[in-house]
Amino acid sequence: LTEQLLFLSYGQLGLIQAASGFFTYFVIMAENGFKPDRLIGLRQAWESKAINDLRDSYGQEWTYDDRKTLEYTCQAGFLLSIVAVQWSVLLQTRSRRSSVLQRPMNNWVLNFALIFETLLAFLIIYVPGAREGLQLAPMSPLWWLPGLAFSLLLMAYEELRKAIARKHKG
């Protein structure tokens, strides 16, 4: 474990993963009426069971149960976007300099782990009962896209970094 590897894992790739999760969270909130500026300082009213007419950025009223469903949906979006970006991280970190296109996917334990992680995420998000136990709620497939966009961004970033590393060995 080197300093360079730690910086790559936590300083670069980890920040992109976190950005993906938070971006997805805020996209889901905004598409449901809560723009980021409305979320600032809202936690106390959001958590109050007594408030059943909390207004969003467009003046729509939200009950406590509706707010919690939205919150759990955002948390599911955060989880799924992290899983999507982890696919890219795993595929890219198999080699420091070789392109992902140059390396065969012949590690069947790794392939199984990718499929298992993805199926497990879908299972805990979409199977009934996750709302209460894990505080996750099913979400629209449209909200998978922000995580996938970050996944593609990370793939492009890593391919560019590897191309520079191949050109400037050292």
Side-chain angles (χ1 to χ4, degrees), residues 2-170:
T2 65
E3 186 177 310
Q4 184 181 13
L5 183 61
L6 283 173
F7 176 70
L8 176 65
S9 297
Y10 296 106
Q12 294 176 18
L13 304 179
L15 290 176
I16 293 172
Q17 288 182 55
S20 171
F22 284 114
F23 182 75
T24 302
Y25 189 97
F26 285 117
V27 163
I28 295 171
M29 278 291 195
E31 284 190 4
N32 282 280
F34 289 95
K35 293 182 179 178
D37 63 330
R38 176 68 178 110
L39 295 174
I40 297 171
L42 190 63
R43 178 53 69 187
Q44 188 173 4
W46 185 276
E47 292 295 330
S48 175
K49 291 181 179 182
I51 299 175
N52 280 314
D53 59 352
L54 184 70
R55 293 190 184 274
D56 65 13
S57 301
Y58 302 111
Q60 301 173 99
E61 293 182 352
W62 288 74
T63 65
Y64 175 79
D65 288 334
D66 290 339
R67 293 191 309 265
K68 292 315 261 184
T69 299
L70 176 58
E71 181 181 340
Y72 297 163
T73 302
C74 290
Q75 290 170 184
F78 192 102
L79 171 68
L80 205 55
S81 73
I82 294 294
V83 168
V85 176
Q86 282 181 344
W87 267 75
S88 296
V89 169
L90 187 70
L91 294 174
Q92 285 292 347
T93 56
R94 293 181 307 139
S95 166
R96 283 185 149 173
R97 293 186 181 209
S98 298
S99 170
V100 71
L101 302 173
Q102 297 171 336
R103 306 250 342 194
M105 292 288 295
N106 56 4
N107 182 341
W108 294 108
V109 173
L110 181 70
N111 296 343
F112 174 78
L114 284 171
I115 301 296
F116 181 77
E117 173 191 33
T118 306
L119 290 176
L120 183 61
F122 278 112
L123 185 72
I124 64 175
I125 290 171
Y126 290 102
V127 168
R131 176 172 161 50
E132 294 78 27
L134 300 172
Q135 297 185 342
L136 301 172
M139 57 186 213
S140 164
L142 181 65
W143 293 328
W144 302 348
L145 297 178
L148 295 176
F150 271 85
S151 186
L152 293 174
L153 175 73
L154 188 107
M155 291 289 276
Y157 169 76
E158 274 295 295
E159 286 297 318
L160 178 63
R161 186 191 65 75
K162 288 178 180 184
I164 292 170
R166 285 189 301 271
K167 186 174 181 176
H168 303 286
K169 296 179 181 180

